[in-house]
Amino acid sequence: YCDTTSKRNSWSCFWIETAPSIRKMFVASIAVIIEHMTNGCILPVSFLLTGNPTYYNLALYGEVAFMIYATTLLLTSYALQRDVSIEQMHPAVWHLLILHHVASMMLCIGCIMFGDVVPKQLVCYVLLALLGLTSSLHYIGMILDIGPLSLANSPYIRVGHHVICL
């Protein structure tokens, strides 16, 4: 039994009543947020605070590794005609995700190859802005839209999320 009138049960009801494909997207969004926060927030901020190039290198190499893995899974999804990707999104956006991943890899590999010519602080600010904040907030928005905190159920939370994103 799922009491949908109780706020306390809203998350358990959501999980019971949600289709398996949406559950996969929900879990996938959490996994991608963890990667984005690690490579796009924690490691760049650690470099900016300490100046230790290990954090910078871990952020770039970690992002390249994740993009290679994610792109390989998307290409495998095409080959198998079923979704085995990390993102668990509709096949209509797979080609866009592949382009996004390849472009991200190219930027990170360029920063690695050019070494000290590239201003490391600027790269960390870009990682923080685009990957750590913007992209993570995008995935948080997806989780909010899928779960009990969606616009229809909790409009002020969703409006607050939009304000933070802006």
Side-chain angles (χ1 to χ4, degrees):
Y1 172 72
C2 186
D3 179 14
T4 56
T5 60
S6 169
K7 286 286 186 190
R8 192 186 66 196
N9 291 329
S10 61
W11 281 99
S12 60
C13 293
F14 147 73
W15 198 254
I16 291 168
E17 296 172 352
T18 302
S21 61
I22 302 298
R23 287 189 212 160
K24 287 180 184 178
M25 283 179 60
F26 186 86
V27 173
S29 295
I30 292 171
V32 172
I33 286 172
I34 291 169
E35 183 275 332
H36 282 26
M37 291 303 293
T38 302
N39 293 330
C41 193
I42 295 169
L43 293 172
V45 167
S46 297
F47 171 78
L48 291 170
L49 292 175
T50 67
N52 185 342
T54 302
Y55 296 121
Y56 174 82
N57 290 326
L58 281 172
L60 290 177
Y61 282 103
E63 185 60 21
V64 169
F66 184 78
M67 290 297 105
I68 289 171
Y69 180 64
T71 303
T72 302
L73 290 177
L74 281 165
L75 293 172
T76 304
S77 295
Y78 268 120
L80 297 176
Q81 298 284 317
R82 66 183 181 91
D83 194 358
V84 295
S85 70
I86 293 171
E87 290 89 351
Q88 292 294 307
M89 292 191 184
H90 193 275
V93 297
W94 289 352
H95 64 287
L96 297 173
L97 288 170
I98 290 171
L99 289 172
H100 164 74
H101 292 172
V102 170
S104 296
M105 276 190 282
M106 289 170 52
L107 289 171
C108 290
I109 290 170
C111 290
I112 292 167
M113 289 179 63
F114 288 112
D116 291 333
V117 176
V118 177
K120 292 180 179 169
Q121 284 187 327
L122 176 62
V123 171
C124 286
Y125 284 125
V126 170
L127 283 171
L128 183 62
L130 296 179
L131 188 63
L133 298 176
T134 306
S135 192
S136 294
L137 287 171
H138 164 72
Y139 276 98
I140 289 170
M142 287 178 58
I143 288 172
L144 290 175
D145 284 340
I146 293 170
L149 298 177
S150 67
L151 184 57
N153 297 330
S154 304
Y156 294 116
I157 289 176
R158 196 65 171 109
V159 168
H161 176 261
H162 285 301
V163 168
I164 290 169
C165 289
L166 293 173

